[in-house]
Amino acid sequence: MTDSKRRKGLMAASALLGGVLVLTACSGGDDKASGGGESSQAQSDQAAAKKSSKADITITPKDGSDNASINNSAAVTVSKGTLTGVTMTTADGTAVAGALSADKRTWKPSVQLERSTTYKVAAEAKDSAGLVAHENASFTTVSPANSFIGSFTPEDGSTVGVGMPVSINFDKQITDKAAVQKGITVTSSSGQEVACHWFSTQRMDCRPDDYWKENSTVTLKLALDGVQGASGVYGVQQKTVTFHIGRNQVSYVDAKTKEMRITQDGKTIKTIPISAGSPENKTYNGVMVMSEKFKETRMNGATVGFTDSDGKGEYDIKDVPHAIRLTSSGTFLHGNYWGAKSIFGAVNTSHGCVGLSDTKGADDTSTPAYWMYSHSIVGDVVVISNTGDKTVSPDNGLNGWNLDWSAWKAGSAV
């Protein structure tokens, strides 16, 4: 190799080493090589920290969460400071109302959130030195597909008869019945023991051994928020419901004597002649609870299987007066204006309902049907006997009283 070539090779190597040294210096190195860069950065960081707010904001649910609760999971809190501003909006910018605590350390929405909705939260706080801190988060609430709710009866604040059970119908099949049942409590001011019974994966009713004590108050608590009812399906309800039990009214229908005897607190207050189901279309036997009342309603035989050869209903009466539902399958206690007055108390002629004499239009206050309708409330009990038919199924309407106490409690999941 010539001296010229050797000098060129040494220069190239020197240039390469120089590049390595430069790169090494950019990524660290000792203070001398970097000119004190690391120390300067640390000093800058420390200086910035001294100027930062000590207020520490926390937003829940955490940023990016999905399947968040619609009830009380959303909150903004701060330590070492006070909140000076919180905004919560939906993805389209709709503001969500909220309330700040008296000490200005907590903010929560004042309304229930919607399911399947993305919310954005922006919070600001100040520390004792007046330095400002900010925090932002976004989360999405649980979707209908991943949540369940229970529709319940009776309604909050209502007054009902002594036979009214608490009946809850879920919009999803519940596979972990025990978990869901543990999230539901029913208590009475009377101190009566209350047990719950599952009729299916979507219906649970609760009642005491005997009818509710008259003039008592019943409380239903739903603590289902976050309770897993099935794989990937969670409850969203957190609610307390109270209802009042009225006077003790139980009516006894005897299809053999064709008479109904109405009692209050065990004493007979009125007797009314009736016409029950014909021999071809017998009325169910058993204990039945009034679940709905209609001053007038339509009754079409086709809806309950009574059809002619042309497929049309054997009857279609569009203004049946004073109708009180006893079963979900279509058994009613109702007024009858189309039948001869002579049938009541004498002949069973209906398609399974219990008919009382009435007048078309439902405004005649002198009729037995009007009296019965005006003296009845949802939850009153009607006991029907001597019809020649089977006992009504306990899940056909609100009629769980047809199960004895031991059979009822055997349907509990806890």
Side-chain angles (χ1 to χ4, degrees):
M1 180 181 295
T2 65
D3 288 342
S4 176
K5 289 182 179 180
R6 183 179 293 111
R7 282 195 297 273
K8 288 181 180 179
L10 289 172
M11 291 174 63
S14 177
L16 180 58
L17 285 171
V20 171
L21 289 172
V22 171
L23 289 172
T24 303
C26 287
S27 60
D30 59 25
D31 288 345
K32 293 179 179 178
S34 62
E38 181 177 325
S39 177
S40 298
Q41 183 63 51
Q43 291 171 356
S44 298
D45 291 345
Q46 290 174 4
K50 290 179 180 180
K51 296 180 181 180
S52 294
S53 175
K54 291 183 171 59
D56 187 9
I57 302 172
T58 301
I59 299 175
T60 55
K62 66 180 181 179
D63 187 38
S65 297
D66 55 13
N67 286 334
S69 167
I70 63 173
N71 293 294
N72 53 10
S73 67
V76 179
T77 59
V78 65
S79 61
K80 300 179 182 179
T82 56
L83 292 169
T84 54
V86 177
T87 59
M88 184 174 182
T89 59
T90 60
D92 63 3
T94 302
V96 177
L100 187 64
S101 63
D103 62 4
K104 298 183 179 181
R105 293 180 180 273
T106 302
W107 181 95
K108 291 184 177 181
S110 54
V111 295
Q112 187 179 63
L113 305 184
E114 299 293 332
R115 288 191 286 179
S116 286
T117 302
T118 298
Y119 292 92
K120 296 181 179 180
V121 181
E124 178 186 281
K126 286 184 179 180
D127 63 10
S128 58
L131 296 175
V132 178
H134 295 270
E135 193 70 44
N136 293 274
S138 177
F139 64 88
T140 303
T141 52
V142 64
S143 69
N146 295 108
S147 61
F148 70 88
I149 60 171
S151 300
F152 55 85
T153 190
E155 295 179 358
D156 187 30
S158 60
T159 296
V160 297
V162 296
M164 174 61 75
V166 171
S167 184
I168 306 172
N169 288 273
F170 300 100
D171 65 348
K172 301 282 194 312
Q173 291 193 13
I174 303 300
T175 56
D176 193 342
K177 294 179 180 178
V180 172
Q181 188 174 332
K182 288 175 183 177
I184 298 172
T185 57
V186 182
T187 57
S188 172
S189 63
S190 67
Q192 291 172 279
E193 178 190 359
V194 180
C196 298
H197 181 98
W198 289 86
F199 284 116
S200 68
T201 57
Q202 290 185 251
R203 176 181 172 184
M204 186 183 78
D205 286 14
C206 306
R207 67 167 177 86
D209 182 6
D210 201 355
Y211 303 138
W212 299 106
K213 182 70 175 177
E214 62 272 13
N215 299 315
S216 59
T217 298
V218 180
T219 301
L220 163 66
K221 290 186 178 181
L222 300 172
L224 297 175
D225 188 26
V227 174
Q228 184 166 298
S231 179
V233 179
Y234 299 86
V236 295
Q237 288 169 295
Q238 186 168 298
K239 189 175 183 68
T240 298
V241 174
T242 60
F243 59 93
H244 183 71
I245 305 299
R247 75 284 178 275
N248 184 326
Q249 179 166 305
V250 181
S251 301
Y252 299 88
V253 173
D254 189 329
K256 186 174 181 180
T257 63
K258 303 165 186 67
E259 182 179 84
M260 178 168 63
R261 181 171 59 90
I262 299 94
T263 70
Q264 284 191 2
D265 301 320
K267 298 178 180 179
T268 299
I269 61 171
K270 193 173 184 66
T271 300
I272 297 175
I274 60 94
S275 179
S278 68
E280 297 78 22
N281 302 297
K282 300 179 180 70
T283 304
Y284 287 128
N285 282 309
V287 181
M288 305 182 203
V289 175
M290 297 180 181
S291 58
E292 290 183 292
K293 292 176 63 184
F294 305 97
K295 183 179 178 182
E296 290 182 283
T297 191
R298 178 183 181 182
M299 291 188 179
N300 185 341
T303 63
V304 288
F306 292 112
T307 57
D308 291 325
S309 57
D310 60 2
K312 295 182 179 180
E314 292 181 12
Y315 57 87
D316 187 1
I317 306 169
K318 298 180 180 179
D319 58 350
V320 176
H322 301 124
I324 303 173
R325 182 182 289 278
L326 301 179
T327 71
S328 53
S329 63
T331 306
F332 280 81
L333 180 72
H334 65 78
N336 179 333
Y337 66 78
W338 54 90
K341 301 299 182 185
S342 59
I343 67 171
F344 302 102
V347 185
N348 290 325
T349 61
S350 82
H351 283 77
C353 293
V354 176
L356 291 71
S357 180
D358 209 341
T359 301
K360 185 179 178 67
D363 292 321
D364 187 346
T365 61
S366 68
T367 67
Y370 180 95
W371 185 96
M372 187 65 192
Y373 184 87
S374 60
H375 285 78
S376 299
I377 60 176
V378 168
D380 281 348
V381 178
V382 179
V383 182
I384 302 177
S385 61
N386 298 320
T387 68
D389 201 9
K390 64 182 179 180
T391 298
V392 65
S393 175
D395 62 348
N396 186 357
L398 302 175
N399 299 325
W401 301 103
N402 293 286
L403 288 175
D404 64 30
W405 189 231
S406 60
W408 181 263
K409 294 206 295 184
S412 171
V414 297

